[in-house]
Amino acid sequence: MKELDKKEKEYLLNSIRAIKDFPKPGIVFRDITTLLNDKEAFNFLMDHLTARYENFGIDFIAGIESRGFIFGAALAARLRLPFVPIRKPKKLPYITISQKYSLEYGVDEVQIHIDAFGEKEDARVLLIDDLIATGGTAKASVELIDQTKAKCVEACFLIDLKELGGSGTLKKLTKIYSVLEI
């Protein structure tokens, strides 16, 4: 499977704005809106992901709210696959299943429709989001997929914030591909 070379990674990284001290001092926020606004960079990324996953044998693409919807829906359209949104509570109108996960101060959860992956036994699902940090939401999303008859075959992220350790935790549950590592 194709991975980007150093020059290609730098090109994408340079299309993402870094904002220091947001949302609080000491944090460097990676703002993907500049990538989305750059039609050449966005299409380069989507071309790369299409080439990586076109022969992967995926049945569904699931995206984590909300930025995972952008990349996941675009990739699903290119690959002509169904897209499944993974959302915060009380956002989906039909019967849902949930998975809770711990935050620094409390608990949150993610949900999908109970019939998100249809009747297909062992449906192969690609999970996608813009970024993995501590990995709580991604881990809960993989566990949520696994509650169904589906299987998360890989989790894909535009950015992996390596020092926060989320990808290390998630690797215990599924394969991971990160386009960029910071």
Side-chain angles (χ1 to χ4, degrees):
M1 284 178 285
K2 183 179 183 326
E3 292 192 19
L4 299 179
D5 64 30
K6 185 177 179 180
K7 185 177 177 182
E8 292 168 324
K9 288 180 181 184
E10 285 177 15
Y11 169 66
L12 282 178
L13 189 57
N14 288 334
S15 73
I16 299 168
R17 180 172 32 209
I19 301 173
K20 293 181 181 177
D21 299 320
F22 182 84
K24 61 183 183 179
I27 302 291
V28 178
F29 184 83
R30 303 298 172 165
D31 178 12
I32 64 159
T33 62
T34 51
L35 168 70
L36 299 174
N37 194 257
D38 181 336
K39 67 182 179 187
E40 298 301 325
F42 182 70
N43 276 295
F44 176 79
L45 172 64
M46 296 314 301
D47 288 345
H48 168 65
L49 293 177
T50 300
R52 179 175 176 82
Y53 292 112
E54 65 189 345
N55 296 313
F56 211 75
I58 299 167
D59 299 307
F60 294 87
I61 295 177
I64 300 172
E65 185 172 349
S66 64
R67 292 176 299 272
F69 292 2
I70 298 166
F71 300 110
L75 184 58
R78 283 182 172 219
L79 295 176
R80 300 199 180 290
L81 293 171
F83 176 75
V84 175
I86 296 178
R87 304 218 53 194
K88 299 292 183 178
K90 300 179 183 174
K91 301 283 185 173
L92 294 170
Y94 189 60
I95 301 165
T96 60
I97 56 174
S98 302
Q99 181 66 43
K100 293 183 190 262
Y101 61 98
S102 297
L103 299 169
E104 187 176 358
Y105 298 105
V107 175
D108 209 343
E109 71 182 272
V110 288
Q111 298 181 331
I112 58 173
H113 281 136
I114 197 163
D115 60 354
F117 304 112
E119 297 298 317
K120 184 169 176 60
E121 291 277 339
D122 299 320
R124 295 173 50 85
V125 179
L126 172 68
L127 177 66
I128 193 165
D129 203 2
D130 68 324
L131 180 138
I132 184 166
T134 60
T137 308
K139 181 177 181 285
S141 296
V142 170
E143 292 168 344
L144 186 62
I145 291 166
D146 289 346
Q147 283 183 46
T148 70
K149 296 175 185 176
K151 173 72 178 149
C152 181
V153 295
E154 188 161 277
C156 174
F157 304 96
L158 173 58
I159 300 170
D160 180 358
L161 299 177
K162 294 292 282 184
E163 68 183 34
L164 296 179
S167 57
T169 301
L170 194 60
K171 282 180 184 175
K172 297 172 186 170
L173 299 176
T174 192
K175 293 179 184 176
I176 295 178
Y177 174 64
S178 299
V179 178
L180 303 171
E181 295 179 343
I182 297 175

